Amino acid sequence: MVDFAIWSHFKKCSPNIPRPRHLLCHGLRRTGANGSGQGEKEKLNIPGIVRQHPNENVDRLKSAAWTHILALLGADGEAIMSSLLLDCGVFIRLPSGNGNYFQISGVPITELSSTTTLHDRPLPGAAQNQQAVRKPSDIRFARNRMLYAKASLNGKGKVRFGLKHVHVLERYSDSTRPEQSAHILKYMFPRQFGLHNVFTSVNDLTGSARQFKDYTFREQEINCQHKHSPAWIPRRLRGQLVHLVSRVHKNHQHCSYTQLLRYYCPVNPASGVVRQSAWHHGIPLPTGSEQADTQLNSSTFHDLTNDETADAGDGHGSYMRHGTPVSKVSAFCQAVVRHLFPKAMFGHGIDGEHNLMVMLSNIDLFIQLRRFETMSLQQVVQRLRIKSIVWLRPATTPVEHHLSASDVRKRVEILNEFVYYIFDSVVIPLVQSHFYVTESAVYRNRLFFFRHDVWRRLSEPALTSLTLSMYAPLRPKRVRQVLENRSLGYSQVRLLPKDHGVRPIMNLRRRMTKSVSGRQFVGSSINAQLAPVFNVLNSERVRDPSLLGSALLSVGDLHEKLLNFKRRIPAGTRLYFVKVDIRSCFDTIPQGRLMDTVRRLIINETGYRTSRHGELKFVHEARMNPKGQIRRRFVGAARPTDDMAVISGQSVARQAEKKRNVVFVDTGNQRVWSSGQLLKLLQEHVQENIVKIGKRHLKQIRGIPQGSVLSSLLCSLFYTAFERERLAFLDPASCLLLRLIDDFLLVTTKESQARTFLQVMTAGDPSFGISVNPDKTLASFDASVEGHKVSRLHDSSYFPYCGLAIDTRTLELRKDRDKKDAFVCNALTIDWSVRPGWTLRRKIQSSFKLQMHAMLLDLSLNSSRQVILTLIGNFTETAMKLHRYLIGLALRKRPSEDFVIRTIEDLVSLAIRFCHNRNVETTQTESGMIRGAQICWAAAAAFEQVLSRKQALYRRTLAWLRQLRQKNESHMNMRRPILDQLVRDNRRMFHEYVY
């Protein structure tokens, strides 16, 4: 019956498709079909079908248990089982985790559409019917196009300001010719001309990785139109609009972008960018005098660019203070828009002035948004008054007071196109051509704007230093030969500003655009192509955990190792802590020795089979989202080429141990790789990595690529050999060695071993490329190495490590809240959606969950007092983010105080569940648990401490919090002085935070 079901699925499937979309058909092919899998083919009892890969699902359904089920079904058993295998999905419950399932038959659930989201999807094609039109709330401006833009250069090699030469306003010189005005109208109103647009067209994802296309250049599409003459204009756009567009063209020709830039954004190297640009986030900072210099001081740049990797300096090494304040960038963009577009385009009279102010205020908001924030078209057009905009009226229609519904819809349609053009094709290109926009390594989501001429003088010495130390130039002919024979392509390097200097960043997740037979398409990213190597190395790590030595794959792995060490040593034992950091670890790893390490790891196997499985989880939160939400996640896997399936019930059961309500399903994308193929791909990535800096292609000759999906794992595997050779003197009974990528931490009960470890690490090892950064070395005792005193922990018993703080006496854990960037608003991403309250609650709860680490709540590792202090800190940080998020919303969209109270109640419920789940296995008695009353008191104390400084906004909320705190204070089992001390300790941890 199983074989018949497989045969039926193949019979229904088109011969052009290698196999049907059914789990029972995974790993099977038609006889003679060209599949992606290599290896021996096993003949089956099914005519015309062969097996290329093991399929556990087929073997499972043929086992004795299913035979017994068939017998129990009686006379109709065959019909029932046939229908089950042909038309239904079959799932089995996994023994691990909570409520997890594994699909063994049917169409993979990952390939099914969600019925709750079908009505939100635009119909394919560019049909002009009402159902296929995207709503303005669904159209978001592609603001990320502003980031990391390259400067345009003139013939002398200097930065050229103004719109780029490919812009439609720049490519035509005669504003009096009607055909040129008609051509510009096609860019402004593509929907009226039947061109590709964001309202009715579906973007081809094979040709672009973005949701919406970049319409800066669309000449090829326009030239393909032969229905009308070049000067033809739709009837609705004729009349006054043609003359207004001609004026826009003329205004552009007479606009001095350079002078506007000098006036609104003068170069000011002496002032601090943080002081100038922080005000728009609501941060009160002291003001200082500004110089009106328009020329750069060469001595200042000499101080800035001594060494791009410098970690110390006198303050002149900060790139960020040379950025242009965001308020001035906004003023520049507004001035250009006012100069280009006549007032008549926004309307006449008072309503026209209102529309212009709305547009300018939205441009100001658009420029000031943080890194991941964006705006929808609905936010911009919702306050515009269309009756005052005369050119929206048909040319033959007189002034009228009452408009028909169809006329209103048409006017709104044209207005939406015009507003989208201003933001997408004027404001964004304007920022691109004048500023280099980037985030920083310190200020998280805050964006910094550097004039292109300033950024060029700042970055050129750093890029020159990189090319001399890490890269070797390649001749253009050699570049073409290499790129033709490799699939990985090349990556581009950009510089990320730090406190002092910059950090080179490679984006290996970027999908490269390729051209085949004159057609552009987007290929796979470098990281996607390296996924088989990552999956194989990860599978070997799982098979043999000793390959990683003391390495931590994440900060969460610290929990179990620290807990086991605490159980090994006697209580009260003095502990010695040493922390060292490898200088530029990714840039100093010897490439040849790394390849030898990996070669010894996988050379014993003839080949590996790789695949992926999907994980689906339905999130139903009645108060937040009654319809629920389906979250999809895909995970790669690999195993040697044996008779076992890559994805099986046993393999997913191991991954489901800490999951709940997740459905696992095999996607069937299997492929066989030989060890030689994997090593060749890795060698191409490590020893033949090509990067592009400016217009030059270079080859990396030192270190491994940063930003690669393999970097962290390769680093962890490589330093394991260093541990075995140089750190074998450490006694596992009295020492705990931890390593997160390049951060080493030794905790030991013997001072002699701590000092020896410090000497060995400080001496370094050139064969492994190891040299220690002395500025980041820290010890909990007095120590000197070669006459240099090592930094010691002072005024605290908590030793910092990777965002955590470890008590040097009891090994208790808490979050290290000392931050370089204390501005809470820089960590936010505000979403101005149609449901701001639901989005706010979801983001606040997600942020709170990330802070509830199991290691911080574990009562077998931490005392109850420490856990309560951690909870107060988590609630305090969440309260600050909640307040900043509310302030960031517009007044009309700001939720009520009842909403704030309900949000706090939900956070308390989450905390109670987290504390119970984290301690249910280690704490058997209820008296040893953190009780709900204690969590309520912690939440009330934290939120009251934060919101009391903003009393005007939270009067009822503060009264409710005060009652909640007083009600649960008697259930804390702690004296009042201890509770007051907890509050003081928490206030001291957050005293530098600005919210």
Side-chain angles (χ1 to χ4, degrees):
M1 292 184 63
V2 174
D3 291 345
F4 172 77
I6 295 173
W7 176 80
S8 300
H9 286 302
F10 271 97
K11 185 178 180 181
K12 296 177 184 177
C13 182
S14 171
N16 299 326
I17 300 175
R19 60 173 174 80
R21 294 193 311 161
H22 199 279
L23 287 172
L24 296 182
C25 302
H26 286 177
L28 308 181
R29 291 286 187 275
R30 289 186 175 90
T31 305
N34 294 325
S36 59
Q38 293 85 22
E40 298 182 359
K41 299 181 180 180
E42 175 188 352
K43 293 185 178 180
L44 302 177
N45 295 327
I46 309 173
I49 307 298
V50 295
R51 186 199 300 269
Q52 285 187 309
H53 306 287
N55 190 332
E56 186 201 53
N57 300 326
V58 175
D59 299 333
R60 181 189 293 269
L61 288 171
K62 292 182 179 182
S63 63
W66 289 90
T67 306
H68 296 159
I69 292 176
L70 178 63
L72 293 173
L73 292 176
D76 295 330
E78 293 187 3
I80 295 173
M81 290 298 295
S82 297
S83 177
L84 191 69
L85 298 177
L86 291 173
D87 306 321
C88 302
V90 181
F91 301 80
I92 61 172
R93 190 183 183 99
L94 294 174
S96 57
N98 184 7
N100 299 317
Y101 291 85
F102 179 50
Q103 185 176 3
I104 63 172
S105 181
V107 177
I109 194 172
T110 52
E111 300 184 19
L112 300 179
S113 301
S114 172
T115 57
T116 60
T117 58
L118 283 177
H119 65 280
D120 296 329
R121 298 183 179 182
L123 298 179
Q128 298 291 324
N129 58 70
Q130 189 67 21
Q131 294 180 341
V133 177
R134 288 190 182 93
K135 299 177 182 178
S137 58
D138 297 330
I139 299 174
R140 295 184 174 270
F141 303 115
R143 187 169 174 270
N144 56 355
R145 282 178 27 217
M146 298 192 314
L147 273 62
Y148 326 127
K150 297 180 180 179
S152 297
L153 304 179
N154 57 23
K156 297 181 180 180
K158 296 182 179 181
V159 175
R160 172 189 174 275
F161 294 118
L163 296 177
K164 294 190 176 182
H165 67 283
V166 296
H167 198 277
V168 64
L169 296 177
E170 189 71 19
R171 282 186 285 106
Y172 295 97
S173 58
D174 190 354
S175 59
T176 61
R177 298 178 60 180
E179 60 271 17
Q180 292 191 7
S181 297
H183 200 84
I184 296 173
L185 280 170
K186 294 178 182 180
Y187 278 81
M188 286 188 177
F189 307 97
R191 183 178 176 184
Q192 310 306 316
F193 287 88
L195 299 171
H196 196 284
N197 60 88
V198 297
F199 299 93
T200 60
S201 304
V202 177
N203 191 17
D204 185 8
L205 296 181
T206 61
S208 173
R210 302 181 186 273
Q211 182 182 5
F212 300 118
K213 289 182 64 175
D214 182 1
Y215 296 112
T216 304
F217 187 83
R218 58 193 315 164
E219 293 300 312
Q220 185 176 0
E221 181 188 8
I222 293 175
N223 293 335
C224 292
Q225 281 193 327
H226 304 291
K227 187 176 180 180
H228 301 285
S229 64
W232 177 83
I233 298 175
R235 182 177 302 175
R236 192 68 188 223
L237 303 181
R238 297 172 188 171
Q240 183 181 0
L241 180 60
V242 179
H243 301 289
L244 291 174
V245 170
S246 178
R247 286 180 59 187
V248 172
H249 192 188
K250 185 176 181 180
N251 291 342
H252 164 73
Q253 294 173 343
H254 292 85
C255 180
S256 178
Y257 292 93
T258 303
Q259 293 301 326
L260 287 174
L261 183 68
R262 288 176 179 173
Y263 179 80
Y264 287 100
C265 305
V267 176
N268 190 7
S271 60
V273 67
V274 176
R275 172 175 297 179
Q276 297 176 12
S277 63
W279 68 270
H280 74 274
H281 292 304
I283 303 169
L285 294 175
T287 59
S289 60
E290 296 182 1
Q291 298 179 355
D293 297 341
T294 58
Q295 299 295 328
L296 291 175
N297 190 337
S298 59
S299 62
T300 303
F301 281 97
H302 177 74
D303 294 334
L304 282 172
T305 54
N306 288 333
D307 184 3
E308 81 282 1
T309 60
D311 292 323
D314 57 359
H316 292 287
S318 176
Y319 280 38
M320 292 172 286
R321 70 189 187 91
H322 291 272
T324 302
V326 67
S327 58
K328 296 186 177 183
V329 177
S330 174
F332 166 72
C333 294
Q334 293 178 56
V336 172
V337 170
R338 294 184 69 139
H339 187 89
L340 286 181
F341 296 94
K343 288 186 178 180
M345 297 203 77
F346 301 99
H348 293 275
I350 298 177
D351 289 347
E353 291 289 341
H354 167 81
N355 291 341
L356 178 59
M357 290 300 104
V358 168
M359 288 296 300
L360 296 180
S361 64
N362 280 300
I363 290 174
D364 178 63
L365 176 61
F366 183 78
I367 298 298
Q368 295 191 33
L369 295 178
R370 300 174 185 86
R371 181 185 178 190
F372 299 107
E373 294 175 347
T374 186
M375 293 175 63
S376 67
L377 182 60
Q378 176 65 27
Q379 290 176 248
V380 183
V381 301
Q382 62 184 353
R383 291 192 293 155
L384 297 180
R385 301 168 183 173
I386 64 173
K387 276 192 175 183
S388 65
I389 306 178
V390 179
W391 57 267
L392 290 175
R393 186 187 311 148
T396 58
T397 303
V399 179
E400 53 188 15
H401 298 287
H402 300 286
L403 305 179
S404 64
S406 60
D407 190 24
V408 171
R409 284 196 298 268
K410 190 65 178 179
R411 294 189 186 192
V412 171
E413 173 186 313
I414 298 175
L415 180 62
N416 287 342
E417 285 194 271
F418 174 63
V419 172
Y420 186 83
Y421 174 81
I422 291 178
F423 280 84
D424 184 75
S425 299
V426 176
V427 176
I428 292 178
L430 193 65
V431 176
Q432 283 180 321
S433 57
H434 294 86
F435 299 95
Y436 182 84
V437 187
T438 179
E439 76 280 11
S440 69
V442 180
Y443 296 100
R444 292 176 287 184
N445 293 341
R446 179 185 296 179
L447 291 179
F448 290 86
F449 295 77
F450 298 87
R451 279 179 42 163
H452 274 309
D453 51 351
V454 175
W455 179 255
R456 196 173 183 219
R457 295 191 64 178
L458 286 169
S459 60
E460 278 185 348
L463 292 175
T464 302
S465 178
L466 277 177
T467 56
L468 293 176
S469 60
M470 290 182 56
Y471 301 102
L474 294 175
R475 295 180 180 273
K477 183 178 180 181
R478 174 61 178 164
V479 172
R480 289 192 295 269
Q481 293 176 349
V482 172
L483 293 180
E484 287 176 357
N485 298 324
R486 60 182 275 153
S487 60
L488 292 182
Y490 63 88
S491 59
Q492 293 185 335
V493 176
R494 65 179 178 89
L495 301 179
L496 183 70
K498 302 192 299 182
D499 265 346
H500 304 285
V502 290
R503 176 186 301 157
I505 298 293
M506 294 184 208
N507 184 8
L508 301 184
R509 294 185 301 174
R510 181 172 175 262
R511 297 171 62 187
M512 302 296 297
T513 302
K514 300 181 180 180
S515 179
V516 176
S517 301
R519 182 176 180 271
Q520 298 285 334
F521 74 97
V522 180
S524 301
S525 66
I526 294 178
N527 275 348
Q529 296 180 62
L530 293 174
V533 182
F534 175 80
N535 294 333
V536 167
L537 295 178
N538 204 38
S539 67
E540 291 295 335
R541 173 192 64 82
V542 174
R543 289 171 62 188
D544 185 6
S546 64
L547 293 174
L548 291 182
S550 64
L552 307 174
L553 294 179
S554 66
V555 179
D557 294 342
L558 172 68
H559 182 197
E560 185 177 355
K561 294 191 175 185
L562 199 62
L563 184 60
N564 293 335
F565 181 70
K566 184 175 182 178
R567 290 170 177 169
R568 287 203 308 266
I569 61 176
T573 304
R574 182 178 178 182
L575 299 173
Y576 300 88
F577 286 68
V578 179
K579 182 180 71 170
V580 295
D581 178 82
I582 307 299
R583 189 196 301 270
S584 304
C585 70
F586 293 122
D587 301 336
T588 56
I589 291 180
Q591 297 177 350
R593 188 158 188 171
L594 174 65
M595 288 301 302
D596 292 339
T597 301
V598 178
R599 188 175 291 107
R600 289 193 298 269
L601 184 63
I602 67 175
I603 198 65
N604 295 329
E605 299 290 344
T606 57
Y608 290 85
R609 185 178 288 111
T610 61
S611 183
R612 289 201 314 166
H613 74 266
E615 299 179 7
L616 272 76
K617 183 174 183 179
F618 180 76
V619 182
H620 178 70
E621 296 167 332
R623 186 181 288 185
M624 294 174 58
N625 185 8
K627 294 183 179 179
Q629 181 182 6
I630 293 179
R631 297 177 184 173
R632 288 178 170 87
R633 179 171 174 259
F634 295 92
V635 181
R639 67 169 295 110
T641 51
D642 50 21
D643 296 333
M644 299 291 293
V646 180
I647 309 298
S648 63
Q650 183 180 1
S651 64
V652 298
R654 290 193 299 267
Q655 302 183 45
E657 291 178 353
K658 297 182 180 181
K659 298 181 183 292
R660 54 182 301 180
N661 303 330
V662 175
V663 178
F664 296 82
V665 57
D666 184 11
T667 61
N669 299 319
Q670 301 188 54
R671 183 173 177 179
V672 175
W673 300 79
S674 67
S675 299
Q677 287 177 308
L678 296 172
L679 289 172
K680 182 180 178 182
L681 185 61
L682 181 61
Q683 181 180 2
E684 185 177 306
H685 175 60
V686 173
Q687 296 183 307
E688 300 176 11
N689 180 44
I690 296 179
V691 301
K692 186 177 182 181
I693 300 178
K695 295 183 178 180
R696 296 182 300 169
H697 290 81
L698 304 100
K699 178 182 177 181
Q700 185 172 358
I701 58 176
R702 204 182 79 183
I704 60 177
Q706 294 190 45
S708 168
V709 69
L710 297 173
S711 297
S712 298
L713 186 55
L714 289 175
C715 187
S716 299
L717 292 170
F718 181 72
Y719 286 150
T720 301
F722 171 77
E723 291 180 16
R724 292 172 178 169
E725 292 185 18
R726 301 297 306 275
L727 302 179
F729 62 89
L730 296 177
D731 182 13
S734 60
C735 297
L736 174 64
L737 181 63
L738 302 172
R739 171 170 45 86
L740 184 61
I741 305 179
D742 61 340
D743 289 328
F744 284 77
L745 173 65
L746 176 67
V747 184
T748 178
T749 59
K750 298 180 179 179
E751 183 179 0
S752 59
Q753 293 206 349
R755 294 186 181 277
T756 306
F757 171 79
L758 189 58
Q759 292 174 356
V760 170
M761 295 302 299
T762 305
D765 190 336
S767 63
F768 285 93
I770 291 179
S771 63
V772 170
N773 188 346
D775 297 325
K776 296 184 179 180
T777 302
L778 184 66
S780 63
F781 55 92
D782 290 325
S784 299
V785 177
E786 297 180 355
H788 297 283
K789 189 172 180 62
V790 177
S791 299
R792 182 187 174 182
L793 185 68
H794 290 289
D795 302 328
S796 176
S797 62
Y798 283 89
F799 197 88
Y801 181 68
C802 298
L804 298 173
I806 308 173
D807 195 318
T808 55
R809 298 164 300 184
T810 63
L811 294 180
E812 290 184 350
L813 283 171
R814 76 179 187 190
K815 187 176 180 181
D816 184 10
R817 300 195 180 273
D818 293 334
K819 295 184 178 181
K820 294 182 179 179
D821 180 20
F823 300 126
V824 175
C825 59
N826 288 342
L828 299 180
T829 299
I830 297 178
D831 186 2
W832 289 272
S833 62
V834 293
R835 303 179 65 188
W838 175 80
T839 305
L840 165 60
R841 182 173 293 168
R842 175 177 58 82
K843 286 180 174 290
I844 290 298
Q845 289 195 6
S846 299
S847 174
F848 184 71
K849 290 177 182 178
L850 292 176
Q851 300 181 65
M852 300 292 285
H853 297 288
M855 68 183 90
L856 302 177
L857 306 176
D858 189 353
L859 288 170
S860 60
L861 182 62
N862 308 289
S863 64
S864 58
R865 184 183 184 279
Q866 180 59 51
V867 173
I868 293 175
L869 184 61
T870 295
L871 290 172
I872 298 176
N874 293 347
F875 281 120
T876 300
E877 185 170 334
T878 305
M880 292 179 177
K881 291 181 178 179
L882 175 63
H883 169 71
R884 287 307 312 171
Y885 202 110
L886 287 171
I887 293 299
L889 294 174
L891 279 174
R892 64 184 182 276
K893 291 188 175 183
R894 197 171 296 173
S896 64
E897 286 198 65
D898 292 333
F899 171 86
V900 176
I901 294 174
R902 291 196 302 269
T903 301
I904 297 174
E905 291 175 342
D906 290 341
L907 292 175
V908 170
S909 301
L910 274 176
I912 292 174
R913 189 172 77 236
F914 269 83
C915 288
H916 179 269
N917 293 339
R918 299 295 190 255
N919 295 284
V920 67
E921 296 180 359
T922 58
T923 306
Q924 301 297 330
T925 61
E926 183 67 25
S927 60
M929 303 283 286
I930 300 296
R931 297 189 300 276
Q934 295 173 310
I935 297 176
C936 289
W937 180 89
F943 273 88
E944 185 180 4
Q945 178 181 322
V946 173
L947 302 184
S948 61
R949 297 178 58 185
K950 317 289 180 182
Q951 296 184 27
L953 299 175
Y954 306 101
R955 295 186 184 278
R956 284 199 302 112
T957 304
L958 286 170
W960 176 79
L961 289 171
R962 201 170 295 113
Q963 293 178 359
L964 182 65
R965 177 177 54 81
Q966 294 172 356
K967 176 182 176 181
N968 293 280
E969 192 169 311
S970 59
H971 301 284
M972 292 295 294
N973 293 336
M974 295 181 182
R975 292 180 297 170
R976 182 60 181 270
I978 298 179
L979 298 179
D980 293 340
Q981 185 62 41
L982 286 174
V983 175
R984 286 195 297 270
D985 291 344
N986 181 71
R987 184 181 292 111
R988 186 164 52 251
M989 286 190 294
F990 288 93
H991 76 282
E992 292 184 353
Y993 281 56
V994 181
Y995 65 96

